[in-house]
Amino acid sequence: VTACGGTSLVSTDKRTIQSETVWNDGAQGGATGGGISKIFPVPDWQTGLSAAESSGSTTPLSGRGVPDVAADADPGTGYTVLVDGQTFAIGGTSAVAPLLAGLVAILNQELGTPVGFLNPELYKLGGTSALRDIISGNNGTFAAATGWDACTGLGAPLGTALLSALKGTQATTGR
């Protein structure tokens, strides 16, 4: 499973992102989740990672860290939907999950083959132009940090850059 975290976007023209931070509207408004599993072990692709805590300390992963990636989840900057003739904005990580599923469907179509289990490939691409690292904000317990963090994972996938990177992987692995 690719776990999805949430961000909040600031844009002047609804096309250009000025900033992107961890989504955290406070106790009454909602925030992204994230953390370290006490049940599932650290997967190979997360070996050696640590989680930055809001207190300023760092904890090595002792279990599966989530999320893996993130996207806009703030209802204030999220998605406009039309339901029963009414238009309104929605958000939350439950809006991010189908957004990522849609991206994966487009990647599958463009690559001509299913991407399969994407997590190991995403972690190989951490720190590249395929993912926009989110380095500001917190979810109450954990803080954003350079690289993987327990609020926004590796950051926000950038569709065309991710496609290009996966095409390169496909060429070298024959997948």
Side-chain angles (χ1 to χ4, degrees):
V1 172
T2 301
C4 301
T7 68
S8 181
L9 296 173
V10 174
S11 172
T12 55
D13 60 7
K14 295 196 177 212
R15 290 177 176 254
T16 306
I17 297 171
Q18 278 188 309
S19 67
E20 189 168 18
T21 61
V22 174
W23 170 49
N24 186 346
D25 289 338
Q28 302 304 312
T32 189
I36 303 169
S37 176
K38 292 181 180 177
I39 298 172
F40 297 100
V42 178
D44 291 344
W45 65 87
Q46 287 186 327
T47 300
L49 295 180
S50 295
E53 296 181 19
S54 294
S55 65
S57 62
T58 304
T59 303
L61 292 187
S62 56
R64 166 88 160 97
V66 292
D68 298 304
V69 294
D72 188 15
D74 184 341
T77 61
Y79 311 92
T80 302
V81 296
L82 176 66
V83 177
D84 293 331
Q86 301 294 317
T87 302
F88 55 93
I90 64 165
T93 53
S94 56
V96 176
L99 177 72
L100 182 63
L103 174 59
V104 170
I106 292 169
L107 294 172
N108 289 342
Q109 180 179 3
E110 292 297 317
L111 292 169
T113 185
V115 295
F117 187 47
L118 191 55
N119 288 358
E121 296 304 319
L122 288 172
Y123 281 81
K124 288 177 191 172
L125 296 171
T128 71
S129 63
L131 297 144
R132 182 177 44 257
D133 196 5
I134 313 303
I135 57 171
S136 178
N138 68 74
N139 66 5
T141 304
F142 295 97
T146 301
W148 180 87
D149 60 68
C151 297
T152 60
L154 298 164
L158 303 175
T160 54
L162 181 56
L163 176 61
S164 293
L166 291 174
K167 280 183 178 177
T169 301
Q170 192 178 41
T172 60
T173 63
R175 186 172 68 107

